[in-house]
């Protein structure tokens, strides 16, 4: 959608609610009543240079939309119709991209974790209503599923039954079927899994969901705004969305490859009958009837406005253009690194994300990571198996030769070496040898506790 049209609609929506704030007695503060701050912000935005394929006009639109709606609160959808419009249209565009029909609905959330939390909470409450005999609810998911599911289990008193992966590092459908029992309330899988960029066999898992009459949530937080465009570009992307009969909900992050500012994700349900179990209501409060669609009460209008502007302005053409460039860069990198002695790509990645592991006992991949960091790269270390994660983003376009060259040198420097005390590789190796997982969990908890003191 052209810049001028988006800006006009944005301003019309804002002006339509002029004066509303003075008539609302909910907690909403006002800033910049004469518009001077906004003028300063607009002037500053015009100084931005182009960043990759995101033009100065786009950056300006996003910044202005955030400032225009920074004080609006989406807790009450009636008070600010513009925010309701932003949310509904973002959800509609996302649902359409994921091949949902017109019965689909959902919610915008603050990120992938909240989207997963909401999905798990929804199916827990649905089970409470339709399967009250289940007192110890379980979710069956592969070990590669995002930790947000474990977080949801901890919050909502469920158990995640993790199943092993196949030799190709994707969900093992047979093992998932064997894990289903009378306590199972949900099946979950990834599109793709974050660690390796590998797409679980969603169609086959969806058949399990139909066979056992269970809901099936696809976590596409990482790939939801990339896989549809790659498919339109002609890539062979196995079905992962609502075209699969058993899929009942999908989470997709707008703030990843939707390129919206941080704090925007969507959880889409097949229909309203499912989504209503996500909603919370409380009617005995002296302050009046209370209802909420997600974890948060207050929800900033600036995030919704910026997400709406981004989706409208970039459009399908913009997303496909960026997806094409990122996939070309990814292919160049994977071809280059697989020619380096001792390195191989984990499995068969489906999009602009992959992991590298060692295929030689003379090369320790975590030692390679330490050498790469000496060259200025920031490496994402992984375990089970030891590997390095690479998410390929717009800023990596044009850096292919440098990355491949540095990896080749780092591998030569690491050949035959073991981790030295004090190196990050040594720490990972030590943790991997601890037999009691509870000790590791306690260590990580203590670490994060100290970080915020």
């Amino acid at each position: 959608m052209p810049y001028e049209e988006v800006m006009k609609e944005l301003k019309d929506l804002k002006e339509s609610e002029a004066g509303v704030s003075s008539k609302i007695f909910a907690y909403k503060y006002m800033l910049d009543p004469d518009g001077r701050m906004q003028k300063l912000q607009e002037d500053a935005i015009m100084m931005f240079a182009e960043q990759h394929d995101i033009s100065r006009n786009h950056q300006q639109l996003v910044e202005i939309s955030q400032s225009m709606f920074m004080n609006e609160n989406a807790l009450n959808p009636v008070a600010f119709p513009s925010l309701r419009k932003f949310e509904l249209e973002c959800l509609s565009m996302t649902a359409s991209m994921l091949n949902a029909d017109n019965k689909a609905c959902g919610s915008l959330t603050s990120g992938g974790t909240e989207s997963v939390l909401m999905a798990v909470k929804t199916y827990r409450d649905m089970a409470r209503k339709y399967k009250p005999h289940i007192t110890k609810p379980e979710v069956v998911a592969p070990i590669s599923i995002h930790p947000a599911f474990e977080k949801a289990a901890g919050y909502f008193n469920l158990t995640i039954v993790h199943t092993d992966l196949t030799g190709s590092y994707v969900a093992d459908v047979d093992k998932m079927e064997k894990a289903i029992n009378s306590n199972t309330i949900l099946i979950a899988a990834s599109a793709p899994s974050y660690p390796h960029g590998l797409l679980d066999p969603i169609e086959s898992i969806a058949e399990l969901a139909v066979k056992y009459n269970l809901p099936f949530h696809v976590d596409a937080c990482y790939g939801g705004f990339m896989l549809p465009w790659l498919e339109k570009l002609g890539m062979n992307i196995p079905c992962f969305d609502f075209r699969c009969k058993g899929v009942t909900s999908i989470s997709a992050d707008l703030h990843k490859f939707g390129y919206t500012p941080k704090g925007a994700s969507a959880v889409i349900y097949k229909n309203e009958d499912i989504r209503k179990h996500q909603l919370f209501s409380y009617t005995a409060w002296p302050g009046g009837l209370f209802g909420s669609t997600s974890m948060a009460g207050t929800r900033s209008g600036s995030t919704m406005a910026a997400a709406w502007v981004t989706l409208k302005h970039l459009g399908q053409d913009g997303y496909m253009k960026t997806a094409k460039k990122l996939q070309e860069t990814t292919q160049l990198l994977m071809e280059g690194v697989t020619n380096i002695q001792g390195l191989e790509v984990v499995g068969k990645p489906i999009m602009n994300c992959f992991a590298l592991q060692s295929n030689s006992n003379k090369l320790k991949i975590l030692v390679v990571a330490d050498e790469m960091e000496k060259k200025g790269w920031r490496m994402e270390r992984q375990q089970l198996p030891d590997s390095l994660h690479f998410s390929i983003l717009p800023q990596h376009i044009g850096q292919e030769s440098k990355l491949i060259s540095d990896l080749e040198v780092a591998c030569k420097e690491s050949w035959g070496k073991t981790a030295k005390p004090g190196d990050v590789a040594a720490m990972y190796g030590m943790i991997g040898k601890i037999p009691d997982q509870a000790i590791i969990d306690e260590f990580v908890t203590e670490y994060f506790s100290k970080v915020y003191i």
Side-chain angles (χ1 to χ4, degrees):
M1 190 172 180
Y3 168 85
E4 293 78 9
E5 291 182 26
V6 178
M7 180 59 75
K8 182 181 184 303
E9 189 170 357
L10 196 65
K11 288 184 176 180
D12 287 346
L13 285 167
K14 181 65 177 179
E15 290 171 3
S16 71
E17 295 169 1
V20 171
S21 296
S22 61
K23 298 179 181 179
I24 295 178
F25 291 96
Y27 189 84
K28 178 195 179 292
Y29 54 88
M30 287 292 294
L31 290 176
D32 194 27
D34 58 4
R36 286 180 294 178
M37 180 60 72
Q38 182 171 317
K39 180 63 170 62
L40 286 172
Q41 290 172 333
E42 291 180 14
D43 290 343
I45 289 163
M46 291 302 294
M47 297 168 59
F48 275 79
E50 290 191 1
Q51 298 179 6
H52 310 292
D53 285 326
I54 306 301
S55 69
R56 182 173 10 177
N57 278 350
H58 176 77
Q59 186 73 25
Q60 180 180 5
L61 268 172
V62 172
E63 296 278 354
I64 291 176
S65 68
Q66 287 183 302
S67 65
M68 288 174 70
F69 291 89
M70 67 186 295
N71 298 316
E72 275 74 7
N73 182 359
L75 173 62
N76 184 346
V78 178
F80 299 102
S82 58
L83 301 189
R84 180 175 177 274
K85 174 183 173 68
F86 294 151
E87 181 163 16
L88 287 178
E89 292 193 3
C90 284
L91 292 170
S92 177
M93 288 184 274
T94 303
S96 176
M97 179 185 68
L98 297 172
N99 291 295
D101 61 26
N102 57 11
K103 294 180 181 179
C105 55
S107 297
L108 287 184
T109 69
S110 61
T113 293
E114 187 182 1
S115 289
V116 168
L117 287 170
M118 289 293 86
V120 173
K121 183 264 183 194
T122 294
Y123 294 118
R124 183 204 64 176
D125 287 3
M126 199 162 76
R128 283 179 173 177
K129 181 175 181 178
Y130 296 112
K131 299 178 180 179
H133 61 280
I134 297 179
T135 58
K136 295 181 179 180
E138 297 179 354
V139 178
V140 173
I143 191 66
S144 54
I145 202 79
H146 195 276
F149 283 87
E150 280 291 342
K151 192 173 189 178
Y155 282 3
F156 303 134
N157 196 27
L158 300 95
T159 299
I160 307 296
V161 179
H162 289 295
T163 56
D164 291 335
L165 306 178
T166 67
S168 300
Y169 299 101
V170 297
D172 189 315
V173 180
D174 291 337
K175 289 181 179 178
M176 290 186 71
E177 183 169 18
K178 290 178 182 177
I180 295 172
N181 59 44
S182 58
N183 287 325
T184 305
I185 65 164
L186 174 66
I187 303 174
S190 306
S193 62
Y194 177 82
H196 312 123
L198 304 177
L199 182 65
D200 285 330
I202 301 300
E203 287 185 280
S204 297
I205 300 171
E207 291 175 2
L208 280 185
V210 173
K211 179 179 178 180
Y212 292 95
N213 192 28
L214 289 167
F216 176 26
H217 181 81
V218 175
D219 178 19
C221 285
Y222 195 68
F225 273 82
M226 180 59 67
L227 296 179
W229 312 127
L230 294 179
E231 184 177 9
K232 287 182 180 294
L233 287 167
M235 283 187 61
N236 181 24
I237 305 294
C239 186
F240 73 95
D241 54 24
F242 287 105
R243 289 171 292 181
C244 300
K245 184 179 178 181
V247 172
T248 54
S249 59
I250 301 177
S251 49
D253 283 0
L254 285 72
H255 64 207
K256 286 192 173 72
F257 299 111
Y259 307 111
T260 72
K262 286 297 182 184
S265 178
V267 55
I268 307 292
Y269 297 99
K270 188 175 182 179
N271 56 52
E272 186 181 358
D273 288 340
I274 300 174
R275 197 272 303 270
K276 67 183 180 182
H277 295 284
Q278 175 183 301
L279 310 182
F280 174 82
S281 63
Y282 181 64
T283 60
W285 185 39
L289 304 180
F290 182 86
S292 177
T293 60
S294 58
M295 290 287 287
T298 295
R299 294 191 297 155
S300 173
S302 64
T303 303
M304 292 183 181
W308 179 83
V309 161
T310 302
L311 295 184
K312 296 275 278 190
H313 191 230
L314 289 181
Q316 179 172 302
D317 290 344
Y319 283 117
M320 289 181 66
K321 180 181 178 182
T322 305
K324 185 175 185 293
K325 289 188 175 183
L326 289 177
Q327 196 60 26
E328 289 172 349
T329 295
T330 303
Q331 290 302 316
L332 285 173
L333 287 172
M334 288 200 299
E335 290 169 7
V337 298
T338 52
N339 289 325
I340 298 174
Q341 185 181 10
L343 289 186
E344 67 179 8
V345 174
V346 177
K348 296 180 179 180
I350 197 80
M351 53 176 275
N352 53 311
C353 162
F354 61 91
L356 293 179
Q357 64 180 356
S358 171
N359 57 15
S360 170
N361 57 14
K362 293 184 178 180
L363 184 67
K364 305 298 182 184
I365 194 67
L366 298 181
V367 176
V368 174
D370 288 344
E371 292 297 329
M372 286 293 286
E373 295 213 335
K374 293 176 184 177
K375 302 179 190 304
W377 299 93
R378 298 294 181 91
M379 308 307 294
E380 276 205 72
R381 298 162 176 84
Q382 301 184 142
Q383 59 181 350
L384 305 173
D386 288 348
S387 59
L388 304 180
H389 171 91
F390 294 83
S391 287
I392 307 307
L393 305 168
Q395 60 263 34
H396 298 131
I397 297 173
Q399 298 294 315
E400 301 92 340
S401 296
K402 175 64 173 172
L403 177 57
I404 293 170
S405 174
D406 283 353
L407 267 171
E408 186 170 16
V409 173
C411 286
K412 289 179 179 178
E413 293 172 341
S414 304
W415 197 262
K417 291 184 179 179
T418 56
K420 298 178 181 178
D423 288 347
V424 177
M427 182 189 74
Y428 266 75
M430 176 193 70
I431 290 175
K433 293 176 182 178
I434 297 176
D436 189 347
Q437 185 66 38
I439 296 176
I440 304 173
D441 292 342
E442 184 177 346
F443 166 78
V444 174
T445 300
E446 187 66 21
Y447 169 78
F448 277 97
S449 178
K450 297 299 184 185
V451 165
Y452 290 99
I453 291 179

